[in-house]
Amino acid sequence: MPAQPIDGIDGIDAADGASLHVDTVDYHTAGEPFRIVVAGAPVIPGDSVAERRAIAIGAGGTATAPRPSALDDIRQLLTREPRGHAGMYGGFLVPADDDEADFGVLFWHKDGYSTACGHGTIALGAWAVDSGLVAAPDFGVARVRIDVPSGRVTALVHRAAGRTTGVTFRNVPAWVSELKLPVETSRGTVEVAVAHSGACYASVPAAALGLSVSLGQLPELTAIGREIRAALAGSPAVRHPVDPRLSGVYGVILHDELPAEGGALNQRNVTVFADGQIDRSPCGSGTSARLAILAAEGRLAPGEELRHESIVGTVFGGRVLAGGDPWGDGVVTEVTGTAHRTGEHRFVLDPQDTLGAGFLL
């Protein structure tokens, strides 16, 4: 794995005869993995998490095609086989933007670096409390403040009898730029809703494309998700009005209506993000986007619950808080789910290993 450091990052070179070690703590949130790097990554310079993400991507790189660097070597090592897989997700821990937050994180996946990650925030909240980094009561709620590239988010960690029982992710404000944007696809013209919730999501009923959210149709869902993302690349609706680093479609949400359950609006979704990656969870920041859209459509009032199911049957609960966004026209959302630790790992790269950082299939 040749090290190609970018300015300000010390290169890690395993070619000097020493093995490279990277330590992680792994969680899953509603089935979606989240790999927390706790040791072995180089220091990432920058005055904010957003700036550190830009440095990690590198000059001339993009969110899904970062420039080669020592840091990106580690991202690839952890997302590629034989140490990872094409559905892997995780984050590098970094300093918070100021003393009001507990820590910061750079989110990554097999293709690069994202601006937001709700399921990762839920996992990080559980980890911060479980590890003792943030003090928590045996009964009650601990508040974990995390700086991410799109702003400051909060994980409200629910506790009972000294155990973490769930986590509520309170996102940055979410807002809708289009509710019925016509998009030409290979399956005909569909109307797409576009919402910004730390990342930009395009949302469309699967039935409008002649599909349903089911494992048997996952190849077709993935293909049309990638197609819609590409079709929206130049649309004004996907541009962030303040921060261009938050522009561009990150994920396409295809959703089904389900019968109401316990009086709650009930939907199933699959989110196709980055370059065709599938979220196994109901997608945390994607659920936030769906909440903003449902509120804009008049289908969900503040405080009412959305039961949001994933393609593998796991569930998040979501709600819009009363009062809206005090700084703009968006809404403040909360998404609740569970995260469970799946392992603690020391990944090793032997300098004699000709596979290097690995491969993707």
Side-chain angles (χ1 to χ4, degrees), residues 249-270:
V249 175
Y250 171 64
V252 175
I253 303 171
L254 301 121
H255 57 90
D256 286 344
E257 297 288 339
L258 300 177
E261 185 166 312
L265 184 64
N266 193 11
Q267 296 185 340
R268 178 186 298 119
N269 93 95
V270 62

Side-chain angles (χ1 to χ4, degrees), residues 129-334:
V129 167
D130 294 346
S131 67
L133 178 67
V134 174
D138 286 343
F139 291 88
V141 177
R143 188 181 298 264
V144 183
R145 297 176 177 86
I146 306 169
D147 284 334
V148 307
S150 54
R152 181 162 294 164
V153 298
T154 302
L156 303 170
V157 183
H158 307 283
R159 303 274 290 170
R163 294 181 59 85
T164 295
T165 58
V167 180
T168 296
F169 156 55
R170 185 173 294 167
N171 197 11
V172 299
W175 51 278
V176 177
S177 58
E178 286 280 356
L179 275 179
K180 296 183 177 181
L181 179 65
V183 176
E184 298 287 338
T185 79
S186 59
R187 291 175 172 267
T189 302
V190 293
E191 291 184 336
V192 173
V194 179
H196 299 255
S197 54
C200 179
Y201 289 89
S203 187
V204 61
L209 297 157
L211 298 169
S212 64
V213 179
S214 63
L215 289 173
Q217 294 191 0
L218 188 56
E220 293 90 345
L221 293 163
T222 304
I224 197 65
R226 295 179 72 179
E227 185 180 331
I228 291 171
R229 180 174 181 266
L232 288 170
S235 171
V238 307
R239 297 176 193 154
H240 195 279
V242 176
D243 189 346
R245 294 173 297 190
L246 303 180
S247 295
V249 175
Y250 171 64
V252 175
I253 303 171
L254 301 121
H255 57 90
D256 286 344
E257 297 288 339
L258 300 177
E261 185 166 312
L265 184 64
N266 193 11
Q267 296 185 340
R268 178 186 298 119
N269 93 95
V270 62
T271 300
V272 183
F273 67 93
D275 190 19
Q277 196 162 330
I278 299 299
D279 199 324
R280 277 74 171 160
S281 81
C283 188
S285 50
T287 297
S288 180
R290 288 294 305 144
L291 290 166
I293 292 166
L294 291 166
E297 292 174 339
R299 298 187 60 196
L300 194 72
E304 292 182 341
E305 186 86 3
L306 168 67
R307 181 186 182 275
H308 212 205
E309 184 176 313
S310 75
I311 196 168
V312 300
T314 54
V315 176
F316 285 159
R319 67 206 60 82
V320 174
L321 301 187
D325 169 18
W327 300 282
D329 297 326
V331 295
V332 177
T333 63
E334 288 186 343

Side-chain angles (χ1 to χ4, degrees), residues 24-36 85 88-89 123 126-127 130 338-345 347:
T24 72
V25 180
D26 283 22
Y27 278 73
H28 84 83
T29 303
E32 177 75 355
F34 194 76
R35 180 163 282 172
I36 305 167
H85 54 80
M88 182 53 66
Y89 211 114
W127 166 79
D130 294 346
T338 57
H340 300 277
R341 185 166 53 182
T342 59
E344 299 178 12
H345 307 283
F347 292 101

Side-chain angles (χ1 to χ4, degrees), residues 89-123:
Y89 211 114
F92 296 122
L93 299 174
V94 298
D97 291 355
D98 59 45
D99 293 339
E100 296 299 315
D102 295 292
F103 55 89
V105 62
L106 293 187
F107 296 120
W108 44 255
H109 45 75
K110 74 173 177 65
D111 298 309
Y113 300 89
S114 57
T115 58
C117 179
H119 93 271
T121 300
I122 290 172

